[in-house]
Amino acid sequence: MNSSDRTPADLLRSALAADPARPLVTFYDDATGERVELSVATFANWVAKTANLLQGDLAAEPGDRLALLLPAHWQSAVWLLACSSVGVVAEVQGDPAAADLVVTGPDTLERARACRGERVALALRPMGGRFPRTPEGFADYAVEVPGQGDRFAPFAPVDPEAPALTVGGIGLTGAQLVARAREDSDALGLAPGSRLLTGRSYDSWDGLSAGLFAPLAAGGSVVLCRHLGQLDAAGLAERTRSERVTNTAV
């Protein structure tokens, strides 16, 4: 990664310029058997479409607060980078009633209704599938995002010193987030090309870092596992082998 990168969106742009074809996020849900692999280019395309949805249809502006009520999931990672691209503050498991807009999974719809701004719901179905019936009062992400543009340009430059993320009582600017992700990548022993397997949840900095930011900062990739506890030791060993895992954070 470039030393001049100062926001998570910068890290993604550098990864895209370096090697767009390499894997970036490989996602497993061990409760459903789902596996999804996204290259840097595919992930960046999802981020661009989501950022266009956020900035355009949802009219989000830099400094707006988005309550992100999502589990560890590849689409959660997309939303984190989309927020960074626009300059929106991602408040992980934040209070919807105090947020400008909310993004929720199917298990937190009732909680998300407290938001008086725009509401987006994700079904979290395999291959990004939509809800069988769109929840009342919400936009279905899987319906809204496909038609968005494949390239994104913010209306205003994102300030690296502005708030970017809050999680578990920790608030970080874009620049602080990048610096901390780099520190974590060193602590985890990551290097360009590393493959980090993690089963940590996305409700703490350690989970977000291992599950996205540290591998991105290192020029590596993540094998993000939801419900990893349902996988036995033999299954974990086989996944480690087949995914060419070099580091773990479980």
Side-chain angles (χ1 to χ4, degrees), residues 5 21 27 34 42 47 67 94 98 102 115 124 151 171-172 181 184 190 210-211 223 242:
D5 292 339
F27 172 73
E34 179 184 3
T42 301
V47 170
V102 64
C115 181
L124 302 180
R151 296 180 181 274
L172 298 170
D184 288 356
L190 303 181
V223 180
S242 65

Side-chain angles (χ1 to χ4, degrees), residues 66-154:
L66 183 150
L68 191 67
L69 310 183
L70 295 176
H73 194 278
W74 67 267
Q75 290 184 316
S76 310
V78 166
W79 272 98
L80 288 164
L81 266 294
C83 287
S84 174
S85 299
V86 177
V88 167
V89 184
E91 298 185 340
V92 178
Q93 299 302 321
D95 179 6
D100 298 295
L101 61 163
V102 64
V103 175
T104 180
D107 296 335
T108 46
L109 288 168
E110 291 308 311
R111 180 183 169 200
R113 292 186 190 281
C115 181
R116 290 171 290 181
E118 298 285 355
R119 304 173 190 153
V120 179
L122 282 70
L124 302 180
R125 301 180 72 190
M127 303 306 297
R130 62 181 64 182
F131 285 93
R133 182 177 179 181
T134 301
E136 184 177 355
F138 292 84
D140 186 336
Y141 175 68
V143 173
E144 303 298 330
V145 80
Q148 300 295 325
D150 293 333
R151 296 180 181 274
F152 174 75

Side-chain angles (χ1 to χ4, degrees), residues 9-65:
D10 290 339
L11 294 176
L12 182 58
R13 281 189 288 269
S14 291
L16 191 61
D19 186 358
R22 71 173 176 84
L24 180 60
V25 177
T26 304
F27 172 73
Y28 282 89
D29 187 332
D30 287 300
T32 65
E34 179 184 3
R35 180 188 183 275
V36 176
E37 181 165 285
L38 292 87
S39 67
V40 176
T42 301
F43 184 83
N45 182 254
W46 276 94
V47 170
K49 285 179 175 293
T50 304
N52 279 314
L53 173 67
L54 187 56
Q55 178 176 258
D57 293 11
L58 302 178
E61 299 178 349
D64 282 354
R65 295 171 299 163

